[in-house]
Amino acid sequence: MGERRTLDKINQTLRILITGGFGYLGGRIALSLCENGHQVVLGSRKKQSTPNWLPQSEVVKLIWDDKDALTEACRNVDVVVHAAGMNANDCAADPVAALEFNGVATARLVEAACKAEVNQLIYLSTAHVYSNPLQGKVSEDTCPHNSHPYATSHLAGESTVLHAFNQKLIKNVKILRLSNAFGRPLHKDVNCWSLLVNDLCRQAVTTGKMTIKSSGTQVRDFISLFDVCSVVEHLVNNKANHFDYHILNVGFGKSISVFEMAKMIKERCNTVLGFEPILKYSKKEPCEQQEPMEFCVDSLTNLGITLEGNINLEIDELLHSCMNWFKSS
C-alpha cells in the first residue's frame, strides 16, 4: 500500500470495537489501528467470517435493535469507533430509515457502551451537518442548519453521544465531522464508488475518460483516508481527554474545486498507469456563485495532530486498486 510514515508503537494494547468494520471508513480504520498494535473487533450487522485483509481481527455480529446484544458486544472493550451509518443517497431515499439508524441505533450503541463501561467512544459524523454546500468559514462553532436527512440524522446521533458524556456515563467522547474523505477501500465491494474521487478513478481505469456531472466549479475540502486514520490513531493513543474538544472538524483545511481534483487524478493516472484519461465536464455554469470555503481544522492542530495530506499517494493506491479490480483483461 505504498510507503507510510512509521508511528511509534503504543505502550498499551487496547481492545477496540469498530462498527461498520467491513465498510469504507471502518475497514481502513481497523487496519490502521491493528497495524498500530491494538486488538480490533470488527462489528457487522451480517454474520461474517474473519476477512483475509485483517486475519488477526475478531468479528462480532451487531444486532442493532437488541440492547442486551449490543451491550454484550461492547463488553471488555476499551474504545468504540462508531463508523457504521447510512450514506447520503440512502438517507435521501428513506429519511425514516436514516433517523432510525444514524440516530436511534446510535443511541442504542451509546447506551450499550455506557453499560459495558467503555472508556472512549469516537463517532464518525459528517461536515455536511453545517450546510449544503459548505460555504464561508466553517468551524465547530458554526451552527448546523442543513435539513437534508443525512445531516439531521447524524446530528441526532451526535446528540446522544454528547448527552451520555454530559450525564457522566462515559469518560471520553469525540465526534468527528468529516469533510470529503476519499481513498482506497479494502475490498472492491465496499459501497464507496459514488464518491467523487473514487468514481473518477474508476471511470478513468474502466473507460479511459472521466466525466464530471457538473460545471466542476464546486469547492470542497478533500481529506485522504490515511489522514482520517491518523486522526483516529491519535485520539485512541492519546490518553488525555481534552475536555474542550468533543466535536472536531476533520478535513485537510485547504479547499480546491472539483475540476482541480479531477486534473490531479488525470496527472496521477499518467504517472502511475501511463495514460491520461480524457476529462469531460458540463459547460453549464452553476446557478449561483459559491462562496470561498474554509473548513477550519484548528482544533486538530491544538490537539497536536498534524495531517500529512498524502493526496497523491492515496490517489495512486486507488488507481492501482481500480486497475486490479475493475479493468477487463
Side-chain angles (χ1 to χ4, degrees), residues 1 30 54 69 78 108 117 143 155 257 264 273 321:
M1 293 186 60
L54 202 62
D78 299 295
R108 292 195 184 104
E117 299 183 344
C143 181
L155 272 178
S257 71
M264 291 178 63
L273 299 181
S321 294

Side-chain angles (χ1 to χ4, degrees), residues 5 22 43 46 69 77 79-80 102 153 195 206 223 257 285 308:
R5 63 182 172 85
F22 287 80
K46 300 178 181 179
V77 165
V79 182
V80 171
N102 291 346
S153 60
L195 299 174
T206 58
I223 182 171
S257 71
E285 293 298 321
E308 293 191 4

Side-chain angles (χ1 to χ4, degrees), residues 102-103 106 110 123-127 129-130 144 151-164 173 175-177 247:
N102 291 346
T106 297
V110 171
Y123 175 43
L124 274 59
S125 184
T126 172
V129 299
Y130 294 114
T152 56
S153 60
H154 270 294
L155 272 178
E158 289 185 11
S159 296
T160 68
V161 174
L162 292 175
H163 176 74
V173 300
I175 295 167
L176 309 186
R177 289 177 173 169
I247 298 176

